Amino acid sequence: MPPCGFTKSRGSCRRQSKFFFLVNFAVRAKVTVMRTAIYPGSFDPLTNGHLDVIQRAAKLFDRVVVAVAKNEDKHPLFSLDERLALVKQALHHLPDVEADTFDGLLIEYVVSRKAQAIVRGLRAVSDFEFEFQLALMNRKLNENIETIFMMPKDTYTFLSSRIVKEIARLGGDVGAFVPAHVRTALTNKFAGTLKV
Ligand code: ADP
């Protein structure tokens, strides 16, 4: 296409400029859409398995929000604020990952954060049935939100917050399973309680 000012009339030149403006605008608009994923969970407390999933998700999305669920009915060991603080402290080295809390319907929270996907971890077949049900239910509630499953490093497939709490409660060392500050928090939580 010859450049404006050479062979074009003023009208077609204006149309050409407008065309390029619109193409440029569309390209820029597409480039600036942030791909955001929400990684929801109880994180009671955060383990190295959770961290592994977070790091994998951070490679795929522009922004990952680790969303700590209030989940009072699960009677968490750590309060919502404590769980959030433990997650936040573990994310210092990940600039595109943030921590937040939510209560109520996950899908509404995902929409409110303008996210496109939910990330969940899959450790073993035993996780599958519940996660599958949850993903399909969330899809029923909102067709536009995808659920992505991520498998952790094989050494973390046996790891769960529940097992970590149990070991810590019995006085075992959980240093290999959780970040150092979570280990300290668990030690403090169980300090003074009867070890069975
Ligand atoms: P929830 O109460 O939602 O199950 P959890 O904190 O236990 O909250 O788990 C949050 C998500 O992280 C779930 O998808 C769970 O399957 C996943 N997850 C938990 N532990 C691990 C692990 N060791 N490796 C990978 N994913 C995990």
Side-chain angles (χ1 to χ4, degrees):
M1 205 182 278
C4 288
F6 286 93
T7 58
K8 296 263 169 190
S9 68
R10 201 182 288 173
S12 73
C13 192
R14 223 178 274 138
R15 273 197 302 279
Q16 188 181 324
S17 311
K18 200 169 164 193
F19 171 76
F20 280 125
F21 171 78
L22 288 175
V23 168
N24 200 7
F25 179 78
V27 169
R28 277 164 194 265
K30 191 162 173 58
V31 167
T32 53
V33 168
M34 284 270 278
R35 291 274 142 199
T36 301
I38 306 292
Y39 179 33
S42 310
F43 304 105
D44 183 39
L46 175 99
T47 68
N48 289 341
H50 291 129
L51 255 187
D52 185 279
V53 169
I54 293 167
Q55 280 161 349
R56 286 172 200 282
K59 288 185 200 156
L60 297 181
F61 291 90
D62 300 313
R63 187 172 54 137
V64 175
V65 180
V66 182
V68 184
K70 196 169 175 197
N71 270 355
E72 288 303 336
D73 49 333
K74 276 198 170 178
H75 304 294
L77 174 67
F78 292 96
S79 72
L80 184 62
D81 286 346
E82 287 170 333
R83 285 179 281 145
L84 177 67
L86 293 174
V87 170
K88 272 191 175 158
Q89 207 175 328
L91 302 179
H92 283 321
H93 63 298
L94 297 167
D96 300 322
V97 183
E98 64 176 271
D100 192 11
T101 60
F102 79 101
D103 193 15
L105 258 189
L106 169 64
I107 211 80
E108 279 175 9
Y109 175 74
V110 173
V111 171
S112 77
R113 296 302 311 253
K114 297 186 172 45
Q116 293 82 18
I118 296 166
V119 167
R120 293 286 287 178
L122 265 191
R123 286 161 290 188
V125 182
S126 50
D127 277 340
F128 182 76
E129 200 171 333
F130 173 71
E131 293 293 341
F132 186 64
Q133 216 175 9
L134 195 67
L136 289 184
M137 184 49 75
N138 280 328
R139 183 184 282 167
K140 275 252 174 299
L141 295 174
N142 189 329
E143 278 277 342
N144 299 316
I145 308 293
E146 292 296 339
T147 299
I148 311 244
F149 294 106
M150 313 217 69
M151 285 170 292
K153 195 170 161 196
D154 53 0
T155 45
Y156 298 138
T157 52
F158 63 91
L159 198 52
S160 72
S161 299
R162 189 181 57 79
I163 287 178
V164 163
K165 282 183 283 192
E166 195 56 16
I167 296 172
R169 189 178 69 81
L170 297 171
D173 184 4
V174 293
F177 313 130
V178 296
H181 66 282
V182 175
R183 180 197 197 191
T184 307
L186 279 163
T187 307
N188 293 341
K189 201 49 117 177
F190 289 117
T193 63
L194 250 184
K195 287 172 194 163
V196 186

